[in-house]
Amino acid sequence: MAEIYTVRLFGDPVLRKRALKVTDFSEIPRLAENMLETMFEARGVGLAAPQVGLSQRLFVWAEYLDSEEDEEEGEDADLRTRVRETHVMVNPVITFREGQQVGTEGCLSIPGLYSENVPRDLRVRVEYQDERGEPKVYEAEGYSAVVIQHELDHLDGVLYFERLPKELKAQWLEDNREDLARFQKQAKAFLKELKAKG
Ligand SMILES: [Zn+2]
């Protein structure tokens, strides 16, 4: 049985740290499986290790099938039934980038909030290791490229709104001030509870 982790919220310092390179792969397959299950539960497209409190350079993401039929099933439909492919990327490095795109992004650590103006590279090549440490290369374009850049940013302590042009970022922070303050409070309370448990 997979373990479902608590997704860390904006305000948790683990989200702002540069994560460490994975060198010991013994626990990575289990961790990646739990992260995928956590991502499905949270109805996400990607999840990086710092988002579950682990400062390690690894993220998971999924490509989903989307058809009208699936949309009719509504919000309650289990995302697992729509998976086309899942990916586990350990120690990822973008080795090629090309073109530009601007799109909508949200984040499981900043739930319910979005920005429609996040600039990203259109195409990326990412070199990484799979959950067993085997070297791999993946080339992505469009939305998949956005997901990879968003998740890789998490490994460097960067959140999507920080990619916004200066004025849009200030506007976004202003528009979402109350929600962000609430997440910070929740993050603080969670860490206190965690500490109390030892
Ligand atoms: Zn995110």
Side-chain angles (χ1 to χ4, degrees), residues 51 106-109 150-151 154 159-160:
Q51 290 182 280
C107 181
L108 293 177
S109 294
H150 176 118
E151 299 310 329
H154 272 302
L159 300 171
Y160 70 85

Side-chain angles (χ1 to χ4, degrees), residues 2 8 15 41 57 66 69 75 88 92 97 104 119 128 131 155 163 179 187 193:
R8 300 301 182 89
L15 294 174
E41 283 290 316
R57 301 191 76 77
D66 45 9
E69 212 177 290
E75 289 272 303
V88 178
R97 45 181 94 230
T104 301
Y128 63 98
E131 64 268 45
L155 308 184
R163 293 291 182 188
D179 284 321
E193 200 183 305

Side-chain angles (χ1 to χ4, degrees), residues 39-137:
M39 184 187 82
F40 294 139
E41 283 290 316
R43 306 190 64 77
V45 177
L47 186 71
Q51 290 182 280
V52 295
L54 301 165
S55 201
Q56 299 189 47
R57 301 191 76 77
L58 132 92
F59 62 80
V60 299
W61 64 285
E63 293 170 80
Y64 295 110
L65 302 163
D66 45 9
S67 67
E68 282 170 34
E69 212 177 290
D70 288 322
E71 274 167 38
E72 280 167 21
E73 288 172 28
E75 289 272 303
D76 297 330
D78 190 340
L79 275 184
R80 291 171 188 83
T81 62
R82 285 206 226 162
V83 171
R84 184 161 61 190
E85 203 175 348
T86 59
H87 301 273
V88 178
M89 295 188 167
V90 185
N91 299 327
V93 178
I94 291 176
T95 56
F96 174 79
R97 45 181 94 230
E98 179 180 70
Q100 291 170 341
Q101 59 179 326
V102 173
T104 301
E105 290 184 37
C107 181
L108 293 177
S109 294
I110 317 173
L113 305 190
Y114 296 91
S115 170
E116 293 172 352
N117 306 299
V118 186
R120 297 287 185 185
D121 301 312
L122 179 60
R123 275 180 287 274
V124 296
R125 181 191 300 134
V126 57
E127 296 185 20
Y128 63 98
Q129 289 163 281
D130 69 10
E131 64 268 45
R132 278 167 200 84
E134 291 300 314
K136 301 264 163 132
V137 181

Side-chain angles (χ1 to χ4, degrees), residues 18-32:
R18 192 181 147 80
L20 296 174
K21 193 176 172 183
V22 173
T23 52
D24 176 2
F25 282 78
S26 56
E27 292 296 318
I28 297 299
R30 193 183 57 88
L31 172 61

